[in-house]
Amino acid sequence: MTELTFATPKTSEALDSLRAEVRSFLATEIADRTPLQKSDSWNGLDTEFSRKLGQKGWLGMTWPTQYGGHARTEMERYVVIEELLAAGAPVSAHWIADRQTGPLILKFGTEEQKQTILPRIAAGECFASIGMSEPDAGSDLASVRTRAEPVDEGYRINGTKVWTTNAHVAHYMILFCRTHGTTEDRQKGTSQLLIDMSTPGIEVKPIIDLAGQHHFNQVVFNDVLVPKSALLGEEGNGWAQVMSELSYERSGPERFLSSFELVVELGRILAAAPHSESAAIAYGRLLAHTAVLRRLSRSVSVMLEDGEDPLVHASIVKDLGATLEQEIPEIVRQFADLAADPASARQFREVTCNVLLNAPTFSLRGGTREILRGIIARGLGLR
């Protein structure tokens, strides 16, 4: 079996100072958000808040300054993201563009694509979606059927994407598609295209989730014609590109902090309740597991900062994080009766129900458990 190590996370006074600055900003900007709203941090869409983050220089943080970035480190970006999520800030509008669309354009895009799009993302004024999953294929990206046929004018696209977060508000989509061959060719013949969502022929249909909210969409491409300049990276190199993109998606603190408000609520309830040994043990275990995941996640940021491709490490963080986050509401709801008064009990139940309804998505976003464990097994030399 291949030995796997996780790098030691970096610490410094500068990082501590940045963390204090972000906390001070959030104490003012999201003071009015209720615990229920905070439990929707990842799904909370507030375009004005995203613009304020852009003005603070907290979007596109690691990108070069000539593209609107701020040339800061991966660990500095990690600190900002961690504080936003732990506080329950509404990050959904800019989230995908800042986390992976921008880095992908920076890595594989043309100079024109970088100059046109990256400064707008860094300003919090340009949002993006991810066109990967498809009906009947799910997260098995090698089965992609959406086809972008090379034509004289560029590419003609037909197909359907599903579970596409925020496609209804996004300005762009990075589309993973097949430009050559058939589904039997699996990873071969795939490419990525940068799609302007205002292009004629694109139909966005809402998918309402278990909580009654609209984040997901089905996106249908009917003879959509895009120019050759829409190609991102090399034609036929889509598989390698999308795998590097997923390292950004799978390793961040969102993999263990999207249900953190519920842990906060449990701590609040227990602080005011008579001592319960079983509740104290359960709460201690949740905090310990969260601390371990935080250690692993910060290690991946160090590897990204050092220019490594931590595909296997990121998959481990994502799989362990999704497992913990789906366990949290099941553990926490056992202690609802410990609430000291009716108002606290109602607030606690609201947050618990919201996290419980969203929990099934934790193991879907960024790749299903089966796909991730296949990647981990191959990385460890077990298959």
Side-chain angles (χ1 to χ4, degrees):
M1 187 173 78
T2 304
E3 183 178 351
L4 206 62
T5 59
F6 281 80
T8 302
K10 298 175 181 176
T11 59
S12 70
E13 291 185 3
L15 292 176
D16 293 340
S17 176
L18 175 60
R19 189 179 297 279
E21 182 184 358
V22 179
R23 288 183 180 180
S24 176
F25 169 81
L26 293 174
T28 301
E29 293 296 333
I30 64 169
D32 295 335
R33 282 178 69 81
T34 66
L36 178 59
Q37 289 173 320
K38 290 180 178 177
S39 70
D40 256 341
S41 176
W42 220 22
N43 292 329
L45 196 149
D46 184 335
T47 56
E48 182 56 29
F49 181 77
S50 295
R51 269 189 283 272
K52 288 182 178 179
L53 290 183
Q55 291 166 1
K56 291 290 292 183
W58 291 340
L59 299 180
M61 286 183 69
T62 63
W63 307 347
T65 54
Q66 67 262 39
Y67 303 125
H70 304 279
R72 303 187 77 163
T73 67
E74 286 287 347
M75 285 306 300
E76 287 177 308
R77 179 180 182 275
Y78 190 97
V79 165
V80 173
I81 297 300
E82 188 174 49
E83 290 300 322
L84 290 175
L85 294 175
V91 300
S92 178
H94 64 268
W95 186 256
I96 292 171
D98 177 60
R99 180 183 65 181
Q100 61 196 91
T101 305
L104 199 66
I105 293 173
L106 195 60
K107 189 172 183 180
F108 298 107
T110 63
E111 188 60 27
E112 180 184 0
Q113 289 169 339
K114 294 175 185 176
Q115 294 284 358
T116 302
I117 299 174
L118 294 182
R120 294 169 57 201
I121 293 177
E125 297 173 349
C126 179
F127 311 130
S129 61
I130 305 166
M132 290 189 191
S133 297
E134 296 190 358
D136 303 320
S139 295
D140 180 13
L141 296 180
S143 298
V144 62
R145 295 178 180 176
T146 296
R147 190 165 194 87
E149 195 71 34
V151 296
D152 291 343
E153 303 92 330
Y155 297 91
R156 188 175 299 280
I157 308 168
N158 284 285
T160 301
K161 293 293 178 180
V162 73
W163 310 123
T164 311
T165 303
N166 285 349
H168 57 301
V169 296
H171 301 92
Y172 288 93
M173 170 193 284
I174 291 188
L175 177 73
F176 181 68
C177 57
R178 191 169 295 284
T179 45
H180 298 281
T182 68
T183 55
E184 295 179 354
D185 295 318
R186 302 290 288 172
Q187 295 91 341
K188 297 179 181 176
T190 58
S191 301
Q192 288 184 303
L193 299 178
L194 185 58
I195 305 296
D196 183 334
M197 291 298 286
S198 65
T199 307
I202 299 176
E203 185 179 7
V204 180
K205 302 177 181 179
I207 297 174
I208 306 303
D209 65 18
L210 287 174
Q213 297 175 324
H214 177 201
H215 311 294
F216 296 126
N217 299 275
Q218 183 183 57
V219 182
V220 181
F221 293 83
N222 289 310
D223 274 337
V224 175
L225 183 64
V226 297
K228 293 180 181 179
S229 60
L231 178 67
L232 183 64
E234 296 180 27
E235 191 175 280
N237 194 40
W239 185 260
Q241 293 178 195
V242 83
M243 288 298 106
S244 70
E245 176 184 356
L246 286 172
S247 292
Y248 291 99
E249 183 177 357
R250 290 172 173 162
S251 61
E254 65 270 27
R255 297 308 172 194
F256 60 90
L257 288 179
S258 55
S259 58
F260 190 68
E261 182 61 25
L262 185 52
V263 179
V264 172
E265 279 296 301
L266 178 61
R268 185 180 60 79
I269 292 285
L270 296 182
H275 177 71
S276 164
E277 184 175 354
S278 61
I281 291 173
Y283 192 59
R285 283 179 173 167
L286 285 179
L287 295 182
H289 289 169
T290 301
V292 171
L293 276 167
R294 181 172 185 257
R295 167 67 169 78
L296 298 177
S297 176
R298 292 168 70 215
S299 296
V300 175
S301 284
V302 173
M303 298 170 75
L304 288 171
E305 189 167 298
D306 292 341
E308 300 178 35
D309 184 8
L311 176 62
V312 178
H313 300 72
S315 298
I316 291 173
V317 173
K318 203 278 181 181
D319 186 36
L320 293 176
T323 299
L324 175 65
E325 291 217 297
Q326 289 179 333
E327 289 175 351
I328 287 175
E330 300 295 339
I331 295 171
V332 166
R333 66 178 179 171
Q334 301 174 46
F335 306 109
D337 292 342
L338 295 178
D341 57 76
S344 295
R346 184 178 64 254
Q347 182 173 296
F348 183 72
R349 281 197 300 270
E350 287 177 346
V351 175
T352 302
C353 289
N354 190 44
V355 174
L356 193 62
L357 288 171
N358 281 283
T361 68
F362 298 157
S363 57
L364 294 176
R365 292 166 168 157
T368 62
R369 186 164 284 128
E370 292 77 10
I371 294 294
L372 293 170
R373 292 181 179 178
I375 293 171
I376 295 167
R378 282 191 293 275
L380 294 175
L382 298 176
R383 48 182 299 201

